[in-house]
Amino acid sequence: MKTGIDAISFDVANIHLPIKTLAIARNIEPEKLEKGLGLLKMTFPDVHQDAIVFGANALTKLIIDHKINLNEISRIYVGTESSIDSSKPIASYLINLMEQKFGEDALAECDVVDFTFACIGGVDALQNCLDFVKLNPAKKAIVVTTDFAKYDLNSGGEYTQGAGALAMLITSDPKIIAFDNNWATSTKGVFDFFKPYRTISKEAITQNSNNDSWFDNLEAEIEIHKDQPVFDGQYSNQCYMDRTRNAYFSFKKLKNTTETLYNTWHSIVMHLPYSFQGRRMLSEIYALDSSEKIIADDIAPADYQTKIKEVAKSEDYRTFVTEKLQPAELASSLIGNLYTGSIFMGLLSTLAHFYDTNKEVAGTKFGFLAYGSGSKSKVFEGTIQPEWQSALAKTKLFENLEESTEIGFETYESLHKKELKQSVRTPKNEWVLERIEKDIPTLIGARYYKWID
Ligand SMILES: CC(=O)SCCNC(=O)CCNC(=O)[C@H](O)C(C)(C)COP(=O)(O)OP(=O)(O)OC[C@H]1O[C@@H](n2cnc3c(N)ncnc32)[C@H](O)[C@@H]1OP(=O)(O)O
Protein backbone atom coordinates (compact mmCIF):
# COMPACT_ATOMS: atom_id res chain seq x y z
CA MET A 1 0.00 0.00 0.00
CA LYS A 2 1.16 3.54 -0.77
CA THR A 3 0.97 6.45 1.65
CA GLY A 4 1.92 10.01 0.91
CA ILE A 5 0.88 13.53 -0.06
CA ASP A 6 -2.31 13.76 -2.08
CA ALA A 7 -2.67 17.56 -2.26
CA ILE A 8 -0.74 20.66 -1.14
CA SER A 9 -1.72 24.28 -0.49
CA PHE A 10 0.33 27.16 0.85
CA ASP A 11 0.03 30.69 2.18
CA VAL A 12 3.01 33.00 2.63
CA ALA A 13 3.27 36.57 3.82
CA ASN A 14 2.48 38.55 0.69
CA ILE A 15 4.66 41.55 1.46
CA HIS A 16 8.45 41.49 1.18
CA LEU A 17 11.60 43.54 1.62
CA PRO A 18 14.12 43.19 -1.24
CA ILE A 19 17.25 41.68 0.32
CA LYS A 20 19.36 44.38 -1.34
CA THR A 21 17.45 47.06 0.63
CA LEU A 22 18.24 45.25 3.88
CA ALA A 23 21.88 44.72 2.90
CA ILE A 24 22.39 48.42 2.14
CA ALA A 25 20.67 49.51 5.39
CA ARG A 26 22.83 47.09 7.41
CA ASN A 27 26.05 47.84 5.59
CA ILE A 28 26.42 44.28 4.29
CA GLU A 29 27.67 43.61 0.76
CA PRO A 30 24.50 42.72 -1.24
CA GLU A 31 26.51 40.10 -3.17
CA LYS A 32 27.17 38.19 0.06
CA LEU A 33 23.44 37.76 0.62
CA GLU A 34 22.42 37.36 -3.03
CA LYS A 35 25.28 35.25 -4.39
CA GLY A 36 26.71 33.79 -1.18
CA LEU A 37 23.46 32.78 0.56
CA GLY A 38 21.04 32.90 -2.41
CA LEU A 39 18.63 35.45 -0.91
CA LEU A 40 16.55 37.78 -3.09
CA LYS A 41 13.44 38.71 -1.10
CA MET A 42 12.46 38.43 2.56
CA THR A 43 8.75 38.00 3.28
CA PHE A 44 7.39 39.48 6.49
CA PRO A 45 3.93 39.25 8.12
CA ASP A 46 1.55 42.18 7.65
CA VAL A 47 -0.19 43.79 10.66
CA HIS A 48 -3.13 41.35 10.48
CA GLN A 49 -1.02 38.18 10.01
CA ASP A 50 0.51 35.68 12.43
CA ALA A 51 1.31 31.95 12.39
CA ILE A 52 -2.36 31.07 13.03
CA VAL A 53 -3.50 33.21 10.10
CA PHE A 54 -1.01 31.53 7.72
CA GLY A 55 -1.94 28.04 8.94
CA ALA A 56 -5.67 28.74 8.69
CA ASN A 57 -5.32 30.23 5.18
CA ALA A 58 -3.29 27.26 3.88
CA LEU A 59 -5.76 24.81 5.46
CA THR A 60 -8.82 26.66 4.10
CA LYS A 61 -7.32 26.71 0.59
CA LEU A 62 -6.54 22.98 0.81
CA ILE A 63 -10.11 22.17 1.85
CA ILE A 64 -11.76 24.39 -0.78
CA ASP A 65 -9.42 23.82 -3.76
CA HIS A 66 -9.41 20.04 -3.29
CA LYS A 67 -13.08 19.75 -2.28
CA ILE A 68 -12.16 17.87 0.90
CA ASN A 69 -15.02 16.24 2.78
CA LEU A 70 -14.16 17.12 6.38
CA ASN A 71 -15.95 14.03 7.71
CA GLU A 72 -13.11 12.00 6.16
CA ILE A 73 -10.37 13.85 8.04
CA SER A 74 -9.34 11.98 11.19
CA ARG A 75 -6.25 14.03 12.11
CA ILE A 76 -4.89 17.51 11.70
CA TYR A 77 -1.31 17.53 12.98
CA VAL A 78 0.52 20.84 13.06
CA GLY A 79 4.28 21.34 12.89
CA THR A 80 5.27 24.69 14.33
CA GLU A 81 7.82 26.49 16.46
CA SER A 82 5.79 29.72 16.54
CA SER A 83 3.19 28.80 19.12
CA ILE A 84 1.84 31.73 21.09
CA ASP A 85 0.68 29.62 24.03
CA SER A 86 2.27 26.92 26.23
CA SER A 87 -1.05 25.11 26.64
CA LYS A 88 -3.43 25.77 23.78
CA PRO A 89 -1.91 24.45 20.53
CA ILE A 90 -2.18 26.26 17.20
CA ALA A 91 -4.19 23.17 16.15
CA SER A 92 -6.93 24.25 18.60
CA TYR A 93 -7.11 27.69 16.96
CA LEU A 94 -7.25 26.11 13.52
CA ILE A 95 -10.18 23.90 14.54
CA ASN A 96 -12.03 26.93 15.85
CA LEU A 97 -11.54 28.82 12.57
CA MET A 98 -12.57 25.83 10.46
CA GLU A 99 -15.74 25.58 12.60
CA GLN A 100 -16.45 29.25 11.81
CA LYS A 101 -16.01 28.67 8.08
CA PHE A 102 -17.35 25.15 7.51
CA GLY A 103 -19.87 24.65 10.33
CA GLU A 104 -19.93 24.10 14.08
CA ASP A 105 -19.39 20.30 13.90
CA ALA A 106 -17.13 20.28 10.85
CA LEU A 107 -14.24 18.53 12.59
CA ALA A 108 -15.90 17.42 15.83
CA GLU A 109 -14.29 13.94 15.80
CA CYS A 110 -10.92 14.97 14.41
CA ASP A 111 -7.74 14.48 16.49
CA VAL A 112 -5.59 17.62 16.49
CA VAL A 113 -2.22 18.43 18.08
CA ASP A 114 0.97 20.49 17.59
CA PHE A 115 4.43 18.98 17.06
CA THR A 116 7.38 21.09 18.16
CA PHE A 117 11.02 20.28 17.46
CA ALA A 118 12.36 23.46 15.80
CA CYS A 119 12.27 23.16 12.01
CA ILE A 120 11.71 19.39 11.91
CA GLY A 121 8.32 19.43 13.72
CA GLY A 122 6.44 19.31 10.40
CA VAL A 123 8.37 16.22 9.29
CA ASP A 124 7.57 14.58 12.66
CA ALA A 125 3.87 15.39 12.08
CA LEU A 126 4.10 13.93 8.56
CA GLN A 127 5.75 10.71 9.75
CA ASN A 128 3.03 10.23 12.39
CA CYS A 129 0.26 10.85 9.89
CA LEU A 130 1.80 8.42 7.38
CA ASP A 131 1.94 5.72 10.07
CA PHE A 132 -1.66 6.45 11.02
CA VAL A 133 -2.86 6.14 7.42
CA LYS A 134 -0.85 2.92 6.96
CA LEU A 135 -2.82 1.44 9.86
CA ASN A 136 -6.11 3.01 8.72
CA PRO A 137 -6.01 3.14 4.90
CA ALA A 138 -9.59 4.36 4.60
CA LYS A 139 -8.84 7.43 6.75
CA LYS A 140 -7.17 10.71 5.82
CA ALA A 141 -5.00 13.16 7.71
CA ILE A 142 -3.79 16.72 7.17
CA VAL A 143 -0.37 18.09 8.09
CA VAL A 144 -0.08 21.86 8.53
CA THR A 145 3.29 23.57 8.96
CA THR A 146 3.15 27.21 10.00
CA ASP A 147 5.76 29.64 11.26
CA PHE A 148 7.04 33.17 11.43
CA ALA A 149 10.85 33.00 11.29
CA LYS A 150 11.59 36.24 13.15
CA TYR A 151 15.10 37.28 14.22
CA ASP A 152 16.35 40.29 16.16
CA LEU A 153 17.05 43.47 14.20
CA ASN A 154 20.73 43.71 13.26
CA SER A 155 21.34 40.03 14.12
CA GLY A 156 23.09 37.47 11.87
CA GLY A 157 19.72 35.78 11.27
CA GLU A 158 17.90 38.97 10.24
CA TYR A 159 18.40 38.42 6.49
CA THR A 160 17.02 34.86 6.70
CA GLN A 161 13.55 35.87 8.00
CA GLY A 162 10.32 34.72 6.32
CA ALA A 163 6.77 33.64 7.13
CA GLY A 164 4.09 31.28 5.90
CA ALA A 165 2.40 27.88 6.01
CA LEU A 166 1.70 24.76 3.99
CA ALA A 167 -1.15 22.27 4.34
CA MET A 168 -0.88 18.72 2.97
CA LEU A 169 -3.50 16.03 2.61
CA ILE A 170 -2.12 12.58 3.55
CA THR A 171 -3.88 9.54 2.08
CA SER A 172 -3.37 5.92 1.08
CA ASP A 173 -3.88 6.85 -2.57
CA PRO A 174 -1.58 9.87 -2.92
CA LYS A 175 -1.56 11.80 -6.19
CA ILE A 176 1.71 13.69 -5.59
CA ILE A 177 4.31 11.59 -3.77
CA ALA A 178 4.34 8.20 -2.00
CA PHE A 179 6.92 7.81 0.78
CA ASP A 180 8.95 4.66 1.34
CA ASN A 181 8.97 2.95 4.74
CA ASN A 182 12.65 3.54 5.57
CA TRP A 183 13.28 6.59 7.75
CA ALA A 184 16.71 7.20 9.34
CA THR A 185 17.10 9.52 12.34
CA SER A 186 20.10 11.18 14.00
CA THR A 187 19.59 13.01 17.32
CA LYS A 188 21.77 14.90 19.82
CA GLY A 189 20.72 17.33 22.58
CA VAL A 190 22.46 20.68 21.89
CA PHE A 191 21.89 24.44 22.23
CA ASP A 192 22.46 25.60 18.64
CA PHE A 193 19.18 27.54 18.29
CA PHE A 194 16.32 27.79 20.77
CA LYS A 195 13.57 30.09 22.07
CA PRO A 196 13.78 30.05 25.87
CA TYR A 197 11.65 31.87 28.41
CA ARG A 198 13.71 34.81 29.66
CA THR A 199 13.42 36.81 32.90
CA ILE A 200 12.83 40.50 32.37
CA SER A 201 12.09 43.32 34.84
CA LYS A 202 8.72 45.07 34.85
CA GLU A 203 10.60 48.36 34.55
CA ALA A 204 12.27 47.27 31.33
CA ILE A 205 8.93 46.27 29.84
CA THR A 206 7.07 49.43 30.77
CA GLN A 207 9.92 51.58 29.44
CA ASN A 208 9.54 49.86 26.07
CA SER A 209 5.77 49.79 26.04
CA ASN A 210 3.23 52.42 25.09
CA ASN A 211 0.45 50.55 26.90
CA ASP A 212 1.30 50.75 30.60
CA SER A 213 -2.08 49.58 31.93
CA TRP A 214 -1.41 46.13 30.44
CA PHE A 215 1.44 45.71 32.96
CA ASP A 216 -0.11 47.28 36.09
CA ASN A 217 -0.56 44.04 37.99
CA LEU A 218 2.71 42.39 37.07
CA GLU A 219 5.38 41.29 39.53
CA ALA A 220 8.71 43.17 39.54
CA GLU A 221 10.19 40.45 37.36
CA ILE A 222 8.35 38.24 34.91
CA GLU A 223 9.19 35.50 32.47
CA ILE A 224 8.66 36.40 28.84
CA HIS A 225 8.80 34.38 25.68
CA LYS A 226 10.26 36.15 22.65
CA ASP A 227 9.47 35.22 19.06
CA GLN A 228 13.16 35.62 18.25
CA PRO A 229 15.58 32.76 18.97
CA VAL A 230 18.85 32.64 20.86
CA PHE A 231 21.30 31.06 18.41
CA ASP A 232 24.89 30.45 17.36
CA GLY A 233 24.75 30.52 13.55
CA GLN A 234 28.01 28.76 12.67
CA TYR A 235 27.48 26.15 15.41
CA SER A 236 23.94 25.54 14.11
CA ASN A 237 25.46 24.90 10.67
CA GLN A 238 27.90 22.39 12.18
CA CYS A 239 25.04 20.61 14.01
CA TYR A 240 23.01 20.59 10.76
CA MET A 241 25.95 18.99 8.93
CA ASP A 242 26.70 16.43 11.65
CA ARG A 243 23.10 15.29 12.07
CA THR A 244 22.28 15.11 8.34
CA ARG A 245 25.53 13.27 7.57
CA ASN A 246 24.83 10.70 10.30
CA ALA A 247 21.19 10.25 9.25
CA TYR A 248 22.25 9.92 5.59
CA PHE A 249 24.69 7.10 6.31
CA SER A 250 22.20 5.41 8.68
CA PHE A 251 19.73 5.55 5.80
CA LYS A 252 22.23 3.77 3.56
CA LYS A 253 22.58 1.06 6.21
CA LEU A 254 18.80 0.75 6.52
CA LYS A 255 18.60 0.26 2.77
CA ASN A 256 21.53 -2.11 2.93
CA THR A 257 23.15 -0.49 -0.07
CA THR A 258 26.71 0.48 -0.98
CA GLU A 259 25.49 2.44 -4.01
CA THR A 260 26.01 6.23 -4.01
CA LEU A 261 22.62 7.08 -2.59
CA TYR A 262 22.27 10.64 -3.90
CA ASN A 263 22.78 9.37 -7.46
CA THR A 264 19.57 7.35 -7.07
CA TRP A 265 17.62 10.56 -6.32
CA HIS A 266 16.30 12.66 -9.18
CA SER A 267 15.96 15.66 -6.87
CA ILE A 268 17.08 16.40 -3.32
CA VAL A 269 14.89 18.34 -0.90
CA MET A 270 16.53 19.67 2.26
CA HIS A 271 15.57 21.94 5.12
CA LEU A 272 16.47 25.39 3.79
CA PRO A 273 16.65 28.12 6.44
CA TYR A 274 17.99 30.20 3.53
CA SER A 275 18.24 29.24 -0.10
CA PHE A 276 21.86 28.01 -0.32
CA GLN A 277 22.01 26.18 3.04
CA GLY A 278 21.52 22.78 1.34
CA ARG A 279 24.29 23.24 -1.21
CA ARG A 280 26.67 24.59 1.45
CA MET A 281 25.98 21.64 3.77
CA LEU A 282 25.76 18.75 1.27
CA SER A 283 29.29 18.94 -0.16
CA GLU A 284 30.62 16.81 2.71
CA ILE A 285 28.12 14.00 2.05
CA TYR A 286 28.78 14.37 -1.69
CA ALA A 287 32.50 13.79 -1.10
CA LEU A 288 32.12 10.99 1.46
CA ASP A 289 29.61 8.92 -0.52
CA SER A 290 31.45 9.24 -3.83
CA SER A 291 32.67 6.12 -5.60
CA GLU A 292 35.74 8.12 -6.59
CA LYS A 293 37.01 8.40 -3.02
CA ILE A 294 37.12 12.19 -3.13
CA ILE A 295 38.13 12.13 0.52
CA ALA A 296 40.81 9.55 1.32
CA ASP A 297 40.42 7.48 4.51
CA ASP A 298 43.80 8.63 5.82
CA ILE A 299 43.23 12.38 5.34
CA ALA A 300 44.60 14.46 8.24
CA PRO A 301 41.84 16.13 10.33
CA ALA A 302 43.36 19.55 9.60
CA ASP A 303 42.97 19.00 5.85
CA TYR A 304 39.42 17.62 6.04
CA GLN A 305 37.52 20.95 6.03
CA THR A 306 39.82 22.37 3.33
CA LYS A 307 39.02 19.38 1.13
CA ILE A 308 35.25 19.80 1.68
CA LYS A 309 35.56 23.48 0.65
CA GLU A 310 37.47 22.46 -2.50
CA VAL A 311 34.75 19.93 -3.34
CA ALA A 312 32.07 22.62 -2.88
CA LYS A 313 33.82 24.78 -5.50
CA SER A 314 34.41 21.96 -8.01
CA GLU A 315 32.70 21.90 -11.42
CA ASP A 316 31.24 18.43 -10.72
CA TYR A 317 29.60 19.57 -7.50
CA ARG A 318 28.21 22.72 -9.14
CA THR A 319 26.61 20.61 -11.88
CA PHE A 320 25.21 18.27 -9.23
CA VAL A 321 23.70 21.26 -7.35
CA THR A 322 22.13 22.70 -10.50
CA GLU A 323 20.53 19.38 -11.39
CA LYS A 324 19.42 18.07 -8.02
CA LEU A 325 19.12 20.95 -5.54
CA GLN A 326 18.46 24.19 -7.38
CA PRO A 327 14.74 23.64 -8.14
CA ALA A 328 14.07 23.43 -4.37
CA GLU A 329 16.00 26.66 -3.77
CA LEU A 330 13.96 28.82 -6.13
CA ALA A 331 11.02 29.54 -3.81
CA SER A 332 13.26 29.90 -0.77
CA SER A 333 15.13 32.78 -2.47
CA LEU A 334 11.81 34.62 -2.86
CA ILE A 335 10.33 33.81 0.56
CA GLY A 336 13.03 33.31 3.21
CA ASN A 337 12.86 30.84 6.06
CA LEU A 338 9.58 29.07 6.82
CA TYR A 339 11.07 26.96 9.65
CA THR A 340 8.83 23.81 9.72
CA GLY A 341 7.51 24.55 6.22
CA SER A 342 10.89 25.09 4.53
CA ILE A 343 11.44 21.48 3.48
CA PHE A 344 7.89 21.15 2.16
CA MET A 345 8.20 24.47 0.31
CA GLY A 346 11.37 22.95 -1.20
CA LEU A 347 9.30 20.01 -2.46
CA LEU A 348 6.61 22.35 -3.81
CA SER A 349 9.24 24.61 -5.43
CA THR A 350 10.84 21.60 -7.16
CA LEU A 351 7.53 20.28 -8.47
CA ALA A 352 6.25 23.75 -9.46
CA HIS A 353 9.49 24.33 -11.38
CA PHE A 354 9.11 21.04 -13.28
CA TYR A 355 5.40 21.78 -13.84
CA ASP A 356 6.14 25.24 -15.26
CA THR A 357 8.94 23.88 -17.49
CA ASN A 358 6.84 20.90 -18.63
CA LYS A 359 9.21 18.28 -17.26
CA GLU A 360 7.70 14.87 -16.45
CA VAL A 361 9.10 13.49 -13.19
CA ALA A 362 6.50 10.79 -12.44
CA GLY A 363 8.19 7.60 -11.23
CA THR A 364 11.40 9.35 -10.09
CA LYS A 365 12.66 9.20 -6.53
CA PHE A 366 13.18 12.33 -4.44
CA GLY A 367 15.50 12.25 -1.39
CA PHE A 368 14.69 14.30 1.73
CA LEU A 369 17.16 15.57 4.34
CA ALA A 370 15.32 17.25 7.20
CA TYR A 371 16.87 19.14 10.13
CA GLY A 372 15.59 20.74 13.32
CA SER A 373 17.82 22.56 15.81
CA GLY A 374 18.19 21.08 19.22
CA SER A 375 18.96 18.78 17.23
CA LYS A 376 17.56 16.09 14.95
CA SER A 377 17.80 15.03 11.32
CA LYS A 378 15.64 12.60 9.38
CA VAL A 379 16.42 11.17 5.97
CA PHE A 380 13.72 9.52 3.87
CA GLU A 381 12.64 9.19 0.24
CA GLY A 382 9.53 9.09 -1.91
CA THR A 383 8.39 8.41 -5.46
CA ILE A 384 6.55 11.01 -7.54
CA GLN A 385 3.12 9.75 -8.58
CA PRO A 386 1.57 9.72 -12.09
CA GLU A 387 -1.07 12.35 -11.23
CA TRP A 388 1.30 14.90 -9.66
CA GLN A 389 0.68 17.49 -12.38
CA SER A 390 -3.11 17.50 -12.14
CA ALA A 391 -2.84 17.62 -8.33
CA LEU A 392 -0.70 20.77 -8.58
CA ALA A 393 -2.67 22.52 -11.33
CA LYS A 394 -4.27 25.03 -8.94
CA THR A 395 -1.18 25.77 -6.86
CA LYS A 396 0.54 28.34 -9.12
CA LEU A 397 3.40 28.86 -6.69
CA PHE A 398 5.65 31.18 -8.70
CA GLU A 399 2.74 33.22 -10.16
CA ASN A 400 1.52 33.78 -6.63
CA LEU A 401 4.95 34.82 -5.33
CA GLU A 402 5.21 37.34 -8.20
CA GLU A 403 2.22 39.18 -6.73
CA SER A 404 3.95 39.95 -3.44
CA THR A 405 4.03 43.67 -2.53
CA GLU A 406 7.41 45.30 -1.99
CA ILE A 407 7.87 47.32 1.20
CA GLY A 408 10.54 49.85 2.16
CA PHE A 409 13.02 49.61 5.01
CA GLU A 410 11.11 51.93 7.39
CA THR A 411 7.89 49.95 6.97
CA TYR A 412 9.82 46.74 7.62
CA GLU A 413 11.36 48.08 10.83
CA SER A 414 8.04 49.38 12.15
CA LEU A 415 6.38 46.03 11.38
CA HIS A 416 9.22 44.25 13.18
CA LYS A 417 8.81 46.50 16.25
CA LYS A 418 5.00 46.02 16.10
CA GLU A 419 4.55 49.79 15.77
CA LEU A 420 2.58 49.78 12.50
CA LYS A 421 -1.20 49.88 13.11
CA GLN A 422 -2.58 49.79 9.54
CA SER A 423 -2.07 46.78 7.26
CA VAL A 424 0.15 47.35 4.21
CA ARG A 425 -2.19 45.26 2.02
CA THR A 426 -5.96 45.22 2.27
CA PRO A 427 -6.91 41.62 3.17
CA LYS A 428 -9.12 39.71 0.73
CA ASN A 429 -10.33 36.10 0.84
CA GLU A 430 -8.27 35.34 3.90
CA TRP A 431 -8.20 35.08 7.68
CA VAL A 432 -7.08 38.09 9.72
CA LEU A 433 -6.14 38.60 13.34
CA GLU A 434 -8.94 40.81 14.65
CA ARG A 435 -7.91 41.49 18.26
CA ILE A 436 -6.20 40.12 21.36
CA GLU A 437 -8.29 40.23 24.56
CA LYS A 438 -6.81 42.61 27.13
CA ASP A 439 -9.56 43.11 29.73
CA ILE A 440 -11.72 40.06 30.56
CA PRO A 441 -9.66 38.23 33.25
CA THR A 442 -10.67 34.71 32.17
CA LEU A 443 -9.79 35.44 28.55
CA ILE A 444 -6.70 37.62 28.78
CA GLY A 445 -4.45 36.94 25.80
CA ALA A 446 -7.12 35.08 23.78
CA ARG A 447 -6.77 35.79 20.06
CA TYR A 448 -9.77 36.38 17.81
CA TYR A 449 -9.74 35.96 14.05
CA LYS A 450 -12.23 36.58 11.25
CA TRP A 451 -12.57 35.66 7.59
CA ILE A 452 -12.55 38.59 5.14
CA ASP A 453 -14.32 37.94 1.79
C1 LIG B 1 17.56 27.68 11.94
C2 LIG B 1 18.22 26.50 11.32
O1 LIG B 1 17.74 25.93 10.42
S1 LIG B 1 19.74 26.00 11.93
C3 LIG B 1 20.86 25.97 10.54
C4 LIG B 1 21.13 27.38 9.96
N1 LIG B 1 21.21 28.42 10.97
C5 LIG B 1 20.44 29.53 10.89
O2 LIG B 1 19.67 29.70 9.97
C6 LIG B 1 20.55 30.52 12.05
C7 LIG B 1 20.33 31.97 11.61
N2 LIG B 1 21.26 32.42 10.59
C8 LIG B 1 22.59 32.69 10.83
O3 LIG B 1 23.10 32.59 11.94
C9 LIG B 1 23.44 33.17 9.67
O4 LIG B 1 22.63 33.87 8.79
C10 LIG B 1 24.10 31.98 8.93
C11 LIG B 1 24.93 31.14 9.91
C12 LIG B 1 23.08 31.10 8.31
C13 LIG B 1 25.02 32.54 7.84
O5 LIG B 1 26.07 33.21 8.49
P1 LIG B 1 26.90 34.40 7.81
O6 LIG B 1 27.99 34.68 8.77
O7 LIG B 1 25.99 35.49 7.43
O8 LIG B 1 27.41 33.81 6.47
P2 LIG B 1 28.67 32.87 6.21
O9 LIG B 1 29.92 33.64 6.47
O10 LIG B 1 28.49 31.56 6.91
O11 LIG B 1 28.53 32.58 4.65
C14 LIG B 1 28.52 33.61 3.71
C15 LIG B 1 28.69 33.00 2.35
O12 LIG B 1 28.65 34.08 1.40
C16 LIG B 1 29.84 34.07 0.65
N3 LIG B 1 30.15 35.48 0.33
C17 LIG B 1 30.57 36.44 1.16
N4 LIG B 1 30.73 37.60 0.47
C18 LIG B 1 30.40 37.33 -0.83
C19 LIG B 1 30.37 38.13 -2.03
N5 LIG B 1 30.70 39.40 -2.02
N6 LIG B 1 29.97 37.52 -3.17
C20 LIG B 1 29.63 36.21 -3.20
N7 LIG B 1 29.65 35.42 -2.08
C21 LIG B 1 30.03 35.99 -0.91
C22 LIG B 1 30.89 33.40 1.52
O13 LIG B 1 31.95 32.91 0.75
C23 LIG B 1 30.06 32.30 2.17
O14 LIG B 1 29.79 31.24 1.28
P3 LIG B 1 30.63 29.85 1.24
O15 LIG B 1 30.93 29.43 2.63
O16 LIG B 1 29.69 28.89 0.57
O17 LIG B 1 31.83 30.16 0.44
Side-chain angles (χ1 to χ4, degrees):
M1 185 198 27
K2 291 176 179 175
T3 46
I5 301 175
D6 196 57
I8 307 185
S9 291
F10 73 96
D11 184 57
V12 296
N14 42 14
I15 57 177
H16 71 270
L17 184 70
I19 218 68
K20 202 171 195 162
T21 309
L22 182 67
I24 291 165
R26 296 288 181 237
N27 212 11
I28 301 170
E29 259 187 284
E31 289 74 24
K32 173 191 162 180
L33 303 188
E34 291 177 346
K35 301 204 167 82
L37 302 179
L39 310 167
L40 296 175
K41 294 176 179 177
M42 182 177 92
T43 56
F44 207 83
D46 208 334
V47 172
H48 59 272
Q49 293 176 317
D50 64 10
I52 293 165
V53 163
F54 296 125
N57 283 336
L59 182 54
T60 304
K61 270 188 220 166
L62 185 81
I63 293 167
I64 293 175
D65 286 355
H66 298 278
K67 299 187 175 62
I68 292 174
N69 174 359
L70 290 182
N71 291 327
E72 290 178 5
I73 304 300
S74 300
R75 288 186 162 190
I76 298 179
Y77 278 10
V78 179
T80 186
E81 55 169 305
S82 306
S83 196
I84 33 78
D85 193 302
S86 302
S87 174
K88 185 178 166 73
I90 285 186
S92 163
Y93 278 95
L94 295 185
I95 285 296
N96 179 246
L97 303 194
M98 296 310 112
E99 285 165 356
Q100 283 181 44
K101 184 119 188 89
F102 300 109
E104 192 58 25
D105 296 323
L107 290 158
E109 292 178 11
C110 185
D111 179 17
V112 299
V113 71
D114 284 6
F115 280 70
T116 295
F117 199 122
C119 300
I120 204 168
V123 166
D124 293 334
L126 170 71
Q127 193 179 12
N128 269 273
C129 287
L130 291 170
D131 289 347
F132 171 76
V133 171
K134 264 174 228 158
L135 283 173
N136 305 279
K139 297 187 175 174
K140 296 179 181 176
I142 292 175
V143 171
V144 177
T145 61
T146 186
D147 276 304
F148 171 19
K150 186 177 187 186
Y151 287 87
D152 283 330
L153 296 170
N154 280 301
S155 71
E158 186 181 19
Y159 33 86
T160 70
Q161 294 174 109
L166 289 100
M168 291 159 281
L169 179 65
I170 311 301
T171 71
S172 58
D173 184 20
K175 291 192 188 68
I176 296 176
I177 183 167
F179 293 102
D180 294 1
N181 284 334
N182 290 321
W183 286 58
T185 305
S186 168
T187 316
K188 191 173 175 62
V190 295
F191 287 103
D192 61 330
F193 166 113
F194 59 118
K195 295 185 190 158
Y197 284 89
R198 284 166 252 190
T199 306
I200 185 164
S201 69
K202 177 180 173 183
E203 198 188 353
I205 299 173
T206 47
Q207 271 171 8
N208 288 314
S209 166
N210 51 16
N211 185 1
D212 293 350
S213 64
W214 174 235
F215 302 102
D216 279 352
N217 298 322
L218 296 178
E219 305 289 332
E221 276 193 345
I222 59 157
E223 294 245 289
I224 61 146
H225 177 67
K226 271 178 79 178
D227 293 337
Q228 298 96 297
V230 174
F231 66 97
D232 177 342
Q234 295 308 335
Y235 179 52
S236 70
N237 279 343
Q238 190 58 52
C239 294
Y240 182 116
M241 263 207 258
D242 292 345
R243 293 299 87 69
T244 46
R245 181 191 59 239
N246 291 349
Y248 178 90
F249 285 103
S250 296
F251 191 76
K252 276 193 78 161
K253 270 199 199 135
L254 268 179
K255 289 200 72 175
N256 198 17
T257 177
T258 50
E259 202 179 356
T260 300
L261 190 57
Y262 54 73
N263 282 342
T264 66
W265 292 334
H266 180 278
S267 298
I268 303 177
V269 183
M270 300 173 74
H271 165 53
L272 297 181
Y274 58 89
S275 186
F276 287 178
Q277 170 82 350
R279 63 168 74 186
R280 292 180 77 208
M281 301 295 123
L282 199 61
S283 53
E284 185 183 18
I285 290 175
Y286 178 84
L288 291 173
D289 197 22
S290 165
S291 54
E292 290 161 34
K293 283 259 168 226
I294 299 178
I295 292 192
D297 293 335
D298 57 354
I299 191 166
D303 298 333
Y304 186 83
Q305 291 308 330
T306 315
K307 188 71 202 169
I308 304 285
K309 287 216 157 106
E310 270 174 39
V311 169
K313 292 195 174 88
S314 69
E315 201 52 43
D316 280 1
Y317 186 66
R318 282 167 195 255
T319 307
F320 168 81
V321 164
T322 308
E323 279 173 9
K324 299 203 189 250
L325 279 171
Q326 201 180 28
E329 299 172 342
L330 298 171
S332 177
S333 293
L334 304 172
I335 297 171
N337 199 353
L338 292 180
Y339 285 160
T340 53
S342 290
I343 189 163
F344 300 108
M345 184 51 83
L347 171 64
L348 188 54
S349 176
T350 306
L351 291 174
H353 170 70
F354 291 143
Y355 183 98
D356 292 347
T357 52
N358 261 325
K359 186 153 192 240
E360 180 52 278
V361 288
T364 64
K365 247 186 208 323
F366 281 23
F368 293 80
L369 281 76
Y371 178 73
S373 289
S375 59
K376 183 163 73 176
S377 171
K378 287 187 175 176
V379 172
F380 52 102
E381 61 186 10
T383 306
I384 304 302
Q385 297 300 294
E387 287 179 81
W388 71 277
Q389 279 170 311
S390 62
L392 286 177
K394 284 192 175 147
T395 315
K396 299 189 172 40
L397 173 66
F398 293 108
E399 272 179 50
N400 206 295
L401 296 180
E402 276 290 305
E403 287 166 15
S404 175
T405 300
E406 182 176 325
I407 55 171
F409 187 72
E410 278 178 21
T411 306
Y412 155 67
E413 277 212 320
S414 55
L415 274 168
H416 195 292
K417 293 177 186 164
K418 299 186 177 164
E419 289 170 355
L420 207 66
K421 299 287 174 245
Q422 185 86 34
S423 293
V424 175
R425 269 176 83 137
T426 308
K428 195 167 185 281
N429 282 330
E430 62 193 292
W431 292 99
V432 297
L433 172 62
E434 199 179 8
R435 68 186 182 87
I436 302 174
E437 179 60 48
K438 293 200 166 121
D439 298 319
I440 301 170
T442 54
L443 285 170
I444 285 210
R447 290 173 176 240
Y448 295 97
Y449 298 84
K450 70 174 178 191
W451 175 263
I452 305 282
D453 281 322

